[in-house]
Amino acid sequence: MNASFPDPPPAPPARNRPSARNGPSPVAGLPPLHLLIAAPRGFCAGVDRAIEIVERAIERYGAPVYVRHEIVHNRYVVDSLKAKGAVFVEELDEVPDGKPVVFSAHGVPKVVPLAATERGLDWLDATCPLVSKVHRQAERKVEAGRHILFVGHKGHPEVIGTMGQVPEGAMTLVETLDDVARLDFPVDKPLAFLTQTTLSVDDTAEIVAALKARFPAIVGPRAEDICYATSNRQAAVKAIAPRCQLVLVIGAPNSSNSVRLVEVAEREGTRARLIQRADEIDPAWLDGVTTLGLTAGASAPEVLVREVVARLAQTRSVVEEPVTTAEEHMVFKLPRQLVG
């Protein structure tokens, strides 16, 4: 499952444009730019699956296919799917009768597919299976009589979707250590905790430790909720950041996992910038930079990584060095409606 996207528009020509491949010669008197490219980076299995669901739905049903909310948090991906026939809407009531609809990779509250079924709509659930696993855990914890403390970011679609799996009032959102200190539950209250899948590994560990210290009987998931892709991308940034003067993260401002990568680099003591496209790079950022780190959030396609490398190569000789900290081979099955 590898979604394909058109190449970005070519970068404008530049004088003395160097090769983006290993080239030792300086450009315009500047030293070569040593580029550490983190791996893993970019698309994860859940994003690949979600995009393929939209593409296959368009092939199966014909355009337009409606998508509730951004399928993933990346403008380039969304625009590419729009060009193929996807129509993105905020709410289900914007979907015309008789048209297919896809729910985003972040997941939706239970009432959304129920409403789609009541209207007789053909709907496809592109929720990442790792998010769906958290949904099932939430249901089981509540069925067992426990109140859930959910570690996540208010307003994020994944948080809205997860909290929408259980009755209102059955889950309390925890964002910070201060939130933990403000919790006021009796000592005998049965509690459980779950977490959003795209959080900072280090920050979440601190909050979970605080929850366990405050409520020793609290029950957590058998395995960590933060997804493998989030953890792997953060580990890769930790590996490159100490060697760099600057780290560039390709991702959207509303992409939780991308914003976390910026924070991870900064925690290592390295400047970091979040960019969506190569044209957002300010040349002044590179003043005095001889080693630059580059990564991409889980919703950013590889073509945008290559676009950034090409833009850098307009003014500096770029010496690329991939830094691999893990191999990923995860593949998620498609919905049965799209198989066969």
Side-chain angles (χ1 to χ4, degrees):
M1 292 184 198
N2 289 310
S4 59
F5 294 98
D7 290 338
R15 290 186 179 182
N16 301 320
R17 181 175 180 175
S19 169
R21 301 185 182 279
N22 294 353
S25 59
V27 176
L30 295 174
L33 183 64
H34 189 187
L35 184 62
L36 303 181
I37 305 182
R41 65 181 176 276
F43 279 179
C44 63
V47 167
D48 249 338
R49 174 181 180 270
I51 293 168
E52 186 168 4
I53 287 172
V54 176
E55 292 175 334
R56 288 206 182 194
I58 293 169
E59 292 174 3
R60 185 179 186 91
Y61 298 103
V65 165
Y66 286 77
V67 184
R68 184 183 179 276
H69 291 175
E70 290 185 341
I71 188 67
V72 295
H73 285 154
N74 186 273
R75 176 52 49 190
Y76 180 82
V77 171
V78 169
D79 288 345
S80 296
L81 292 174
K82 282 181 179 178
K84 295 177 181 180
V87 177
F88 292 85
V89 297
E90 287 302 306
E91 298 300 340
L92 196 64
D93 59 13
E94 299 175 59
V95 180
D97 291 340
K99 296 296 182 181
V101 60
V102 179
F103 304 140
S104 84
H106 306 102
V108 295
K110 271 186 174 180
V111 295
V112 175
L114 287 175
T117 299
E118 288 176 358
R119 286 185 53 193
L121 298 177
D122 285 330
W123 56 270
L124 295 160
D125 188 2
T127 302
C128 172
L130 298 180
V131 174
S132 296
K133 183 185 75 171
V134 178
H135 290 180
R136 293 192 296 270
Q137 290 174 336
E139 291 173 325
R140 288 196 294 267
K141 301 296 189 217
V142 170
E143 288 170 0
R146 294 185 178 275
H147 184 88
I148 298 171
L149 305 179
F150 189 65
V151 183
H153 295 300
K154 184 178 180 179
H156 190 277
E158 183 183 331
V159 171
I160 294 170
T162 302
M163 297 187 79
Q165 303 304 308
V166 298
E168 188 173 355
M171 188 179 290
T172 298
L173 183 64
V174 175
E175 294 188 89
T176 65
L177 290 172
D178 287 341
D179 288 343
V180 176
R182 284 192 290 265
L183 293 171
D184 185 22
F185 291 102
V187 68
D188 58 347
K189 175 76 172 178
L191 297 174
F193 72 86
L194 296 170
T195 77
Q196 184 179 331
T197 64
T198 55
L199 300 177
S200 161
V201 173
D202 294 334
D203 289 346
T204 303
E206 290 180 358
I207 293 174
V208 168
L211 287 173
K212 290 180 177 179
R214 182 90 188 276
F215 307 106
I218 196 168
V219 173
R222 292 180 181 177
E224 187 173 311
D225 288 336
I226 295 177
C227 83
Y228 78 96
T230 297
S231 299
N232 287 347
R233 279 149 190 72
Q234 290 180 21
V237 168
K238 287 182 181 179
I240 66 172
R243 300 172 57 191
C244 305
Q245 291 92 37
L246 172 68
V247 172
L248 296 180
V249 177
I250 304 171
N254 60 341
S255 167
S256 176
N257 77 89
S258 299
V259 174
R260 302 291 84 75
L261 293 177
V262 172
E263 293 173 354
V264 167
E266 291 175 338
R267 179 171 285 188
E268 295 295 317
T270 304
R271 287 189 302 127
R273 299 279 186 171
L274 181 68
I275 59 172
Q276 298 193 73
R277 299 293 298 268
D279 59 8
E280 296 179 16
I281 298 173
D282 183 343
W285 296 347
L286 301 179
D287 290 348
V289 173
T290 56
T291 302
L292 175 70
L294 179 62
T295 189
S299 302
E302 183 65 14
V303 291
L304 300 186
V305 175
R306 301 320 306 173
E307 177 189 73
V308 167
V309 176
R311 175 58 64 97
L312 294 171
Q314 291 181 2
T315 56
R316 300 276 288 274
S317 291
V318 175
V319 180
E320 296 182 39
E321 179 188 342
V323 178
T324 303
T325 55
E327 298 284 347
E328 294 181 349
H329 304 288
M330 184 77 74
V331 176
F332 293 133
K333 293 181 180 178
L334 293 170
R336 62 181 182 278
Q337 302 101 304
L338 300 178
V339 177

